[in-house]
Amino acid sequence: MKKTLAILLAAILMLGCMSFASAEAKTYKVGVSIYQFDDNFMTLYRNEILDYFKTLETDEVKYDVTLVDGKNDMAEQTNQVNNFITQKMDVIILNLVQTSSADAVIDNIVAAGIPLVLINREPLAYDENNNAIDEGYEGILNNPQVCYVGADARQSGTYQGEMVAELENHGDINGDGVISYIMIEGDPENPDAQYRTQFSVKALTDAGYKVECLDDQVGNWAQAKGQELVANALSKFDRKIEVVFCNNDAMALGASAAITAAGRKVGEDIYLLGVDALEQAVQMVKDGEMTGTVLNDHIGQSHTAVDVAVKLLNGEEIQNYYWVNYVKVNKAYVDAQ
Ligand code: GAL
């Protein structure tokens, strides 16, 4: 009797262990490197990556996400990628510090057999005149397990220019027939900065308006730098400046402080444009303190990046490019929300 009981108990224990083992979740290791944590927009983006991965977890599947700060230093990010490879990550999501290093990084990750999702900073090839070649990047197109998720920066630049063209005076406050502007650029190595700089102005010239660039400076996406540059430009060019184009909202927030300090008033004697639609910027558009911004959809982009990473983990086929639309955010748009 005792023996039967012991066998029975052992069987129950074994069964218990087996069912426990089969219920154990599969944990995927995900490596994420962001070009720089100290960036307003990429902070929203990276937090959403973490939050969204959490929402996709089930009893069967878990995501162990390692998120690291590239500190705007390509050497640092290369080390991080090498660590991801040593740690045998199942998938890598990468916001490159330098898009010019894309080939080396992609090769390294592909050679290790790890799928890769590039985000936010699109690697581009250039022709001999330094014009971007738009047919897609070979390093991405040639690799079925590599893709880029982003928004087409040309669209955001075009929207900025259109928002000026749509104003009653088309940005020509002094009525001399020329829109006189200053441009505050993000990191010039970054296609978002290149395209926004180019296409904001192109939208105006394509619509038949004359433009004059009074000043073009690099603010590296940063608020404090934006403020300093716009303060300098205002003291140099004063009332000549009719439009301030900033490649992103962080710099536009800085520009706004400089504009106020110079006793100027957005919507009356100057116009101010940004990109990203940070909460504070949208509020300023609503209050008439900014002429317009462009929604850089960090939710759409982060969710797409994570969804495609999950597809890669499941061995599903993916596209090489995924695009998320920008949205024009001017007063009319904000008021209609
Ligand atoms: C842009 C964004 C900027 C900055 C940059 C970093 O898309 O508008 O604010 O975050 O990405 O690459």
Side-chain angles (χ1 to χ4, degrees):
M1 182 64 191
K2 254 191 181 166
K3 206 173 165 195
T4 329
L5 205 68
I7 291 171
L8 204 71
L9 265 174
I12 289 170
L13 265 174
M14 256 176 72
L15 267 174
C17 283
M18 273 167 66
S19 63
F20 179 72
S22 65
E24 202 174 283
K26 160 96 187 138
T27 301
Y28 289 108
K29 291 197 286 183
V30 182
V32 184
S33 172
I34 300 296
Y35 95 96
Q36 175 164 244
F37 276 9
D38 183 15
D39 175 304
N40 302 20
F41 173 73
M42 286 314 298
T43 299
L44 299 172
Y45 197 134
R46 72 181 147 92
N47 287 336
E48 192 58 33
I49 290 180
L50 290 179
D51 290 349
Y52 188 56
F53 262 121
K54 275 267 159 269
T55 68
L56 298 182
E57 287 191 330
T58 62
D59 289 345
E60 288 81 38
V61 180
K62 304 281 176 210
Y63 301 100
D64 175 10
V65 183
T66 305
L67 178 67
V68 292
D69 180 2
K71 298 185 185 143
N72 209 15
D73 176 348
M74 196 58 230
E76 169 88 22
Q77 193 172 49
T78 302
N79 280 336
Q80 294 170 345
V81 167
N82 289 337
N83 286 338
F84 285 166
I85 291 173
T86 317
Q87 291 158 27
K88 296 197 169 30
M89 290 296 172
D90 294 303
V91 67
I92 293 175
I93 298 179
L94 193 59
N95 173 209
L96 281 169
V97 170
Q98 263 171 20
T99 48
S100 54
S101 301
D103 279 338
V105 177
I106 293 172
D107 288 352
N108 199 5
I109 295 174
V110 168
I114 302 175
L116 169 64
V117 181
L118 293 161
I119 57 167
N120 172 257
R121 296 185 148 193
E122 185 189 357
L124 291 176
Y126 295 90
D127 65 17
E128 62 281 3
N129 301 319
N130 213 23
N131 291 319
I133 302 167
D134 292 330
E135 287 96 58
Y137 193 73
E138 268 183 45
I140 296 177
L141 294 174
N142 289 341
N143 287 300
Q145 294 220 302
V146 177
C147 69
Y148 174 73
V149 175
D152 180 355
R154 288 169 292 194
Q155 192 186 33
S156 52
T158 302
Y159 283 171
Q160 283 190 310
E162 284 178 3
M163 285 189 280
V164 173
E166 285 158 11
L167 295 166
E168 215 174 303
N169 59 10
H170 321 295
D172 180 15
I173 293 170
N174 58 20
D176 67 351
V178 181
I179 303 163
S180 302
Y181 70 90
I182 61 169
M183 182 68 68
I184 307 297
E185 294 194 32
D187 172 3
E189 208 257 347
N190 184 322
D192 283 0
Q194 295 162 12
Y195 275 149
R196 288 174 192 167
T197 298
Q198 197 187 334
F199 281 75
S200 50
V201 176
K202 188 173 180 300
L204 291 172
T205 53
D206 282 356
Y209 299 109
K210 278 209 188 104
V211 298
E212 177 193 17
C213 178
L214 296 170
D215 204 3
D216 187 329
Q217 299 284 341
V218 171
N220 275 323
W221 307 118
Q223 184 164 341
K225 194 72 193 163
Q227 180 166 350
E228 177 194 322
L229 295 173
V230 175
N232 289 345
L234 282 167
S235 65
K236 195 161 164 203
F237 300 102
D238 197 19
R239 300 270 151 184
K240 273 191 172 170
I241 304 177
E242 297 173 307
V243 178
V244 178
F245 282 117
C246 295
N247 282 172
N248 77 344
D249 279 349
M251 297 188 295
L253 296 180
S256 162
I259 287 170
T260 307
R264 304 282 293 271
K265 201 157 181 352
V266 170
E268 287 179 16
D269 56 24
I270 198 160
Y271 295 113
L272 174 61
L273 287 303
V275 175
D276 281 339
L278 299 179
E279 212 177 308
Q280 205 182 334
V282 175
Q283 188 57 44
M284 286 167 67
V285 172
K286 202 174 173 65
D287 297 342
E289 293 163 14
M290 243 174 101
T291 312
T293 180
V294 181
L295 171 70
N296 194 1
D297 181 4
H298 70 275
I299 306 263
Q301 291 175 68
S302 55
H303 290 200
T304 307
V306 170
D307 284 340
V308 75
V310 168
K311 275 186 179 216
L312 285 159
L313 290 171
N314 293 337
E316 288 172 41
E317 248 183 60
I318 56 149
Q319 295 164 209
N320 286 123
Y321 283 90
Y322 292 87
W323 298 110
V324 175
N325 271 323
Y326 283 104
V327 180
K328 212 187 269 187
V329 180
N330 53 12
K331 185 135 174 56
Y333 175 88
V334 179
D335 288 345
Q337 292 304 295

